[in-house]
Amino acid sequence: MKKILVCCWLCIAALLSGAGTALAQESSEIEIVAPEGHLGDTLFVEYWNEIVNVHNFPQSKNRVRFPVMPVEGRYVFQLPTGEETYFRYGWGFSQRGTLLSPFVTSVFKIDNGDSIVIEGSTLEDITFTGKGSEKYRAWQSIVLCDKVSSNNWWDLRSSVFDRRSIADIGAMIKERFDYVSSGKLSLLERSRHEIPESDYARMYLEIMSMDHTVALDMIDIFLLKRTPGYFRDCPDQQTLQEAYSRLFVEMDLKEKFPEKVINSSLFYPAYLGFRTGIQMKIENRFDYDSLFTGFHGRLKERLLTIFFINNSRPLDTQQLAYSRKRLSRDVRDPVFTAELGQSVMKGTEDTSYLDMQLTDQYGKTFRLSDFRGKAVFIDFWFTGCAGCSGYYQTVISHAAKKADRDKVVFVTLCVDKDRDVWLESVSSGDYTSGEAVNVLLEGGTASPIVKTFGLVGFPQPVLLDTKGRIFSTSSQDLRYDGPEGLLRTIDLAYRAK
């Protein structure tokens, strides 16, 4: 493997002004050793002054992306570094515009003064050397351990437990947590003497946050989404509720962490948001004023931003409308307001999506603004999405048959990569019907309209009122309450002033 270095001195001020962030004074140097097959290719780098939401960081407005071109056979670039700067690199992009990075969904934190040499083509064989490289190696070993131990546990142990037994499910969740977290904590402990205490504290919090999130997710999947009749050892709803409430308390992350460590974490704020969403389901109530009462200032703004972007699906239309108004007052930091503005929680005053040109299955171009005077129901989907197909079959198709077409237009926006696959799915009747306005979005998940709504999952319904304003993005009203709930909400959107 030939070592190729590329020197890239960035126009830092221009890049950062485009990202809406302040100019950083410190910097660090990264040297990439190009793997075979990429010698002389353009290298692409992405970095973030701050990652607000770990679940959608590749689409964040806070991201800066730039190419590194070969200069005299050298591949070296500098990054401006703040307290929470993260980066990754890659050699090209997927059809959907995602950077093809060896780190995939992971990123690495870079600190002022780091001088790192990175060599290798996959997460498994990448090596880090140079000043400050110890924390990179420690985090890489943790990410790899998480992947391997989690897969091993599911392959070797998950079938041992009876998933129709509440007692077995509880034991399964606890065993999986202990098995996966113990290996990562052991690796972190071995690195403790090599890395700064601040990095040790941050990585410990990341490990705990990731594994407690998975535990709560398993409670949601295996208990909260089931009825008493599914289980062999659950006579009634009260028994089931007591079981998942007790397990929630047992698997909650109860340790307290300094605010400085929390601010440096990617996964803990996401955990707190997910935890709050699960607690909402268990208690079957939503109270905006009770959200994150133990936090204040900018950290609370970040937690509110993450919670509503990631966990707003169970909220109904009225709760979402109230929350949008409160967020417009409570979240003032421009970094966070930009994240909210690029999500389904955007304010109703933002109607930029209305004039984006779209093309239907017959080649006719149109804009959503063409439908002013009617409510517009939008369904985002893709071929192979079981939830998308189920949503259409059980809810949308029935509502569409009963809907007054003088009051509402049904539009489907598909993110498939292949036009022939999309056309086959449209004609199959599994995801939509020929009576809807069906659109294949150019660029898929990277298309402007997907980005403006910052989708974090599919299917995603969006309902516009007759003026083109967002009326509802509530999965509760538009999906979970069945055809009747969808029709009722469409009628409210049509009559909205």
Side-chain angles (χ1 to χ4, degrees), residues 422-473:
W422 167 66
L423 287 173
E424 185 176 344
S425 294
V426 170
S427 63
S428 72
D430 292 336
Y431 299 91
T432 181
S433 76
E435 296 179 4
V437 180
N438 297 300
V439 175
L440 178 66
L441 293 174
E442 185 176 351
T445 54
S447 66
I449 197 165
V450 170
K451 286 185 174 181
T452 197
F453 284 110
L455 303 186
V456 295
F458 294 86
Q460 174 61 61
V462 176
L463 180 62
L464 308 180
D465 66 15
T466 57
K467 296 179 180 178
R469 300 169 300 190
I470 293 176
F471 181 79
S472 180
T473 56

Side-chain angles (χ1 to χ4, degrees), residues 402-418:
K402 298 179 180 179
D404 183 345
R405 294 308 178 95
D406 290 330
K407 295 182 177 181
V408 63
V409 177
F410 286 81
V411 178
T412 79
L413 303 181
C414 179
V415 297
D416 281 358
K417 294 182 288 184
D418 189 302

Side-chain angles (χ1 to χ4, degrees), residues 373-384:
K374 294 184 179 182
V376 179
F377 173 76
I378 305 170
D379 176 34
F380 289 90
W381 64 282
F382 66 89
T383 299

Side-chain angles (χ1 to χ4, degrees), residues 328-339:
S328 68
R329 300 199 304 265
D330 297 342
V331 178
R332 309 303 298 171
D333 188 287
V335 173
F336 304 145
T337 57
E339 295 289 328

Side-chain angles (χ1 to χ4, degrees), residues 223-274:
L223 291 175
L224 282 172
K225 292 180 178 177
R226 303 294 187 186
T227 59
Y230 177 82
F231 300 100
R232 306 182 197 281
D233 53 355
C234 183
D236 50 43
Q237 183 63 36
Q238 182 177 346
T239 302
L240 178 58
Q241 186 165 348
E242 289 173 353
Y244 57 62
S245 297
R246 182 172 59 252
L247 193 57
F248 173 81
V249 172
E250 292 178 15
M251 299 311 300
D252 188 19
L253 177 51
K254 302 176 183 64
E255 291 181 71
K256 302 299 181 183
F257 301 93
E259 187 167 316
K260 184 175 179 61
V261 178
I262 296 174
N263 282 329
S264 70
S265 172
L266 296 181
F267 293 94
Y268 187 64
Y271 163 77
L272 290 175
F274 187 70

Side-chain angles (χ1 to χ4, degrees), residues 20 47 66 71 83 194 226-227 230 248 261 301 306 316 320 322 363 380 450 458 466:
Y47 76 93
F66 61 90
V71 177
E83 290 187 2
E194 299 178 346
R226 303 294 187 186
T227 59
Y230 177 82
F248 173 81
V261 178
E301 290 188 32
I306 292 172
D316 63 31
L320 285 173
Y322 175 77
F380 289 90
V450 170
F458 294 86
T466 57

Side-chain angles (χ1 to χ4, degrees), residues 258-390:
E259 187 167 316
K260 184 175 179 61
V261 178
I262 296 174
N263 282 329
S264 70
S265 172
L266 296 181
F267 293 94
Y268 187 64
Y271 163 77
L272 290 175
F274 187 70
R275 175 198 180 279
T276 302
I278 295 296
Q279 188 172 22
M280 245 172 32
K281 286 185 181 181
I282 291 174
E283 297 176 355
N284 194 28
R285 71 182 186 91
F286 169 73
D287 178 12
Y288 182 98
D289 290 316
S290 69
L291 296 173
F292 313 114
T293 53
F295 300 94
H296 307 280
R298 193 173 187 276
L299 178 56
K300 183 168 183 177
E301 290 188 32
R302 182 186 177 194
L303 294 175
L304 287 169
T305 300
I306 292 172
F307 171 77
F308 281 103
I309 290 176
N310 294 344
N311 304 284
S312 62
R313 284 177 173 241
L315 302 183
D316 63 31
T317 300
Q318 187 174 1
Q319 290 168 336
L320 285 173
Y322 175 77
S323 298
R324 285 189 177 94
K325 291 180 181 178
R326 289 292 304 271
L327 287 170
S328 68
R329 300 199 304 265
D330 297 342
V331 178
R332 309 303 298 171
D333 188 287
V335 173
F336 304 145
T337 57
E339 295 289 328
L340 287 168
Q342 191 175 311
S343 76
V344 292
M345 290 303 296
K346 65 169 66 264
T348 55
E349 70 281 355
D350 179 1
T351 58
S352 57
Y353 47 83
L354 288 178
D355 291 318
M356 295 178 180
Q357 185 170 291
L358 303 169
T359 305
D360 69 16
Q361 69 264 45
Y362 304 111
K364 180 182 177 181
T365 60
F366 70 97
R367 292 175 172 82
L368 293 174
S369 58
D370 296 340
F371 301 126
R372 278 198 177 101
K374 294 184 179 182
V376 179
F377 173 76
I378 305 170
D379 176 34
F380 289 90
W381 64 282
F382 66 89
T383 299
C385 168
C388 302
S389 177

